[in-house]
């Protein structure tokens, strides 16, 4: 008799479960399935620059949101990029990052066959509803690194060592150096590579011999090589992409930093919430995507104040940088 009563009570309790409770439990369990996020870099994740920042961003996504992540290094050839990105898409990765413009063609083409996967790369042109190209504003990077270099040079010779002469940072850099003092001269020679540290070092030594007392490398794979040449020669340098003050506090007067790690997390959050825009998206100092790094003790207080005041004016739209000349001009919207 007791067994019958217990069974009846059990059935009554089951009947009292709110309608839809099992469906709700199912949706909750589905909601906690981690998103799958892939990253392809064309270099190494320990470069202390662009690819290193990307990897730290990926690991922050994994740590904060328990996402399932995978990183592929040395994806510097189109066939490797295609094979690895396709493998991730076939494995139903939700979000795939390509850490640079070199992934533009492959991602735009591959995305057509994988409409449920979101492809994101940097500094290029996106095609398709499931592709986003995140573009840092290179003109401001060039301008503010040129401003600090042009202010700090005593020999009136600054050495600019970009990966490529065609980079949009180059003209604003030269304009800013000249703006600080018309007698300033900019020595420019490109490396024709993002990562050839040996060649970049040779160029740096040559420029130092020619009288350059401030060097500005613009290539994430060889910045450290150039900074070390300046360090050994007792000259100054401007860091690029990451805050490279740690390399030599008396050499790196400041760095123009692209906050790639935090941007990765922001992009993931936007994707997760459905707010990530398709197409081309531009980011700059005003939205925290770029900033100036740590100032060296060798930089006088009045120089810091001058640079920060100009940056504040730029962030508030007091002026814009002409994309053709690199010169600051009044903001037509103000």
């Amino acid at each position: 008799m007791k067994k019958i009563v217990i069974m009846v009570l059990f059935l009554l309790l089951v009947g009292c479960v709110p309608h839809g409770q099992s469906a709700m439990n199912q949706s909750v369990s589905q909601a906690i399935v981690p998103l799958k996020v892939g990253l392809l870099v064309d270099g190494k994740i320990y470069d202390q620059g662009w690819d290193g920042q990307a990897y730290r961003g990926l690991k922050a996504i994994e740590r904060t949101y328990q996402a399932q992540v995978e990183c592929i290094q040395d994806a510097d050839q189109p066939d490797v990029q295609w094979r690895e990105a396709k493998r991730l898409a076939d494995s139903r990765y939700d979000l795939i990052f390509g850490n640079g413009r070199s992934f533009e063609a492959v991602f735009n083409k591959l995305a057509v066959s994988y409409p449920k996967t979101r492809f994101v790369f940097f500094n290029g042109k996106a095609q398709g509803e499931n592709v986003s190209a995140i573009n840092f504003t290179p003109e401001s990077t060039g301008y503010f690194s040129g401003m600090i270099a042009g202010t700090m040079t005593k020999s009136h010779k600054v050495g600019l060592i970009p990966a490529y002469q065609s980079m949009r940072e180059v003209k604003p850099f030269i304009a800013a150096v000249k703006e600080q003092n018309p007698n300033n001269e900019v020595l420019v020679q490109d490396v024709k590579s993002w990562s050839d540290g040996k060649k970049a070092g040779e160029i740096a030594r040559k420029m130092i011999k020619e009288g350059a007392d401030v060097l500005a490398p613009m290539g994430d794979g060889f910045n450290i090589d150039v900074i070390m040449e300046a360090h050994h020669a007792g000259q100054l340098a401007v860091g690029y992409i990451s805050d490279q003050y740690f390399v030599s506090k008396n050499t790196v007067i400041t760095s123009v930093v692209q906050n790639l790690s935090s941007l990765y997390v922001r992009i993931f959050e936007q994707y997760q919430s459905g707010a990530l825009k398709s197409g081309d998206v531009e980011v700059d100092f005003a939205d925290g995507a770029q900033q100036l790094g740590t100032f060296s003790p060798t930089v006088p207080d009045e120089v810091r104040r001058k640079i920060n005041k100009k940056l504040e004016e730029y962030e508030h739209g007091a002026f814009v940088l002409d994309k053709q000349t690199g010169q600051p001009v009044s903001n037509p919207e103000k």
Side-chain angles (χ1 to χ4, degrees):
M1 185 69 181
K2 287 182 178 180
K3 290 182 178 179
I4 294 173
V5 171
I6 291 169
M7 183 62 72
V8 169
L9 288 171
F10 175 76
L11 291 172
L12 287 171
L13 286 170
V14 171
C16 289
V17 174
H19 179 69
Q21 181 72 55
S22 60
M24 184 178 73
N25 288 339
Q26 184 178 1
S27 66
V28 168
S29 63
Q30 288 175 345
I32 62 173
V33 173
L35 291 174
K36 299 174 75 174
V37 183
L39 167 65
L40 287 81
V41 301
D42 54 16
K44 300 288 188 184
I45 59 173
Y46 50 80
D47 66 353
Q48 301 297 329
W50 179 255
D51 288 339
Q53 277 211 57
Y55 183 69
R56 289 194 293 276
L58 182 73
K59 296 302 285 185
I61 292 169
E62 178 186 42
R63 185 171 57 253
T64 306
Y65 294 100
Q66 292 74 53
Q68 179 181 331
V69 304
E70 182 176 346
C71 178
I72 296 98
Q73 300 182 73
D74 298 316
D76 58 352
Q77 298 299 322
D79 60 331
V80 176
Q81 294 173 354
W82 180 273
R83 183 185 71 238
E84 294 298 332
K86 185 177 186 300
R87 179 178 63 80
L88 293 175
D90 285 335
S91 299
R92 297 186 178 181
Y93 270 69
D94 301 284
L95 179 62
I96 301 175
F97 288 98
N99 196 46
R101 188 168 188 169
S102 69
F103 297 91
E104 177 180 5
V106 167
F107 275 25
N108 279 331
K109 186 176 180 180
L110 191 62
V112 176
S113 302
Y114 296 92
K116 293 184 178 181
T117 299
R118 174 54 72 80
F119 295 84
V120 177
F121 59 89
F122 293 83
N123 300 324
K125 296 284 186 182
Q127 299 171 11
E129 287 297 315
N130 58 328
V131 186
S132 300
I134 312 300
N135 290 278
F136 288 94
T137 305
E139 287 80 11
S140 58
T141 301
Y143 181 82
F144 285 101
S145 56
M147 185 177 181
I148 185 70
T151 304
M152 290 296 292
T153 180
K154 294 178 180 178
S155 68
H156 298 294
K157 282 190 178 182
V158 172
L160 174 59
I161 308 174
Y164 297 96
Q165 186 93 23
S166 60
M167 290 169 62
R168 286 164 53 192
E169 291 94 332
V170 171
K171 286 183 179 179
F173 181 93
I174 296 171
V177 170
K178 294 280 191 180
E179 185 182 44
Q180 308 318 305
N181 189 323
N183 295 321
N184 285 345
E185 179 185 355
V186 182
L187 311 177
V188 186
Q189 184 175 343
D190 60 0
V191 180
K192 294 183 171 56
S193 164
W194 290 103
S195 57
D196 191 340
K198 182 179 178 181
K199 184 175 179 182
E202 291 171 354
I203 294 170
R205 289 192 295 273
K206 175 174 170 285
M207 288 182 171
I208 291 169
K209 286 182 180 179
E210 292 174 359
D213 61 348
V214 182
L215 299 180
M218 291 184 177
D220 50 282
F222 59 73
N223 296 330
I224 304 299
D225 300 273
V226 173
I227 290 170
M228 289 310 297
E229 292 296 337
H231 169 81
H232 293 312
Q235 306 300 348
L236 303 176
V238 182
Y240 181 71
I241 298 295
S242 297
D243 190 341
Q244 292 167 334
Y245 174 80
F246 72 93
V247 180
S248 175
K249 69 178 183 179
N250 291 321
T251 302
V252 180
I253 46 182
T254 192
S255 305
V256 180
V257 180
Q258 294 181 341
N259 291 319
L260 193 61
S261 297
S262 59
L263 188 57
Y264 264 77
V265 177
R266 191 193 313 175
I267 292 167
F268 174 84
E269 291 170 344
Q270 290 174 349
Y271 171 77
Q272 193 178 44
S273 67
L276 179 58
K277 295 179 181 177
S278 301
D280 302 338
V281 180
E282 190 162 289
V283 294
D284 202 351
F285 281 93
D287 51 25
Q290 302 187 142
Q291 68 179 63
L292 291 180
T294 308
F295 280 98
S296 166
T298 59
V299 180
D301 288 342
E302 61 269 22
V303 173
R304 299 186 198 198
R305 288 193 291 269
K306 176 183 177 181
I307 301 294
N308 286 328
K309 183 176 183 295
K310 193 75 171 182
L311 179 56
E312 186 177 349
E313 291 173 358
Y314 176 73
E315 289 178 340
H316 286 86
F319 68 94
V320 295
L321 295 164
D322 187 278
K323 294 186 184 297
Q324 299 300 318
T325 66
Q327 298 280 353
V329 294
S330 297
N331 190 343
E333 297 180 3
K334 288 290 181 177

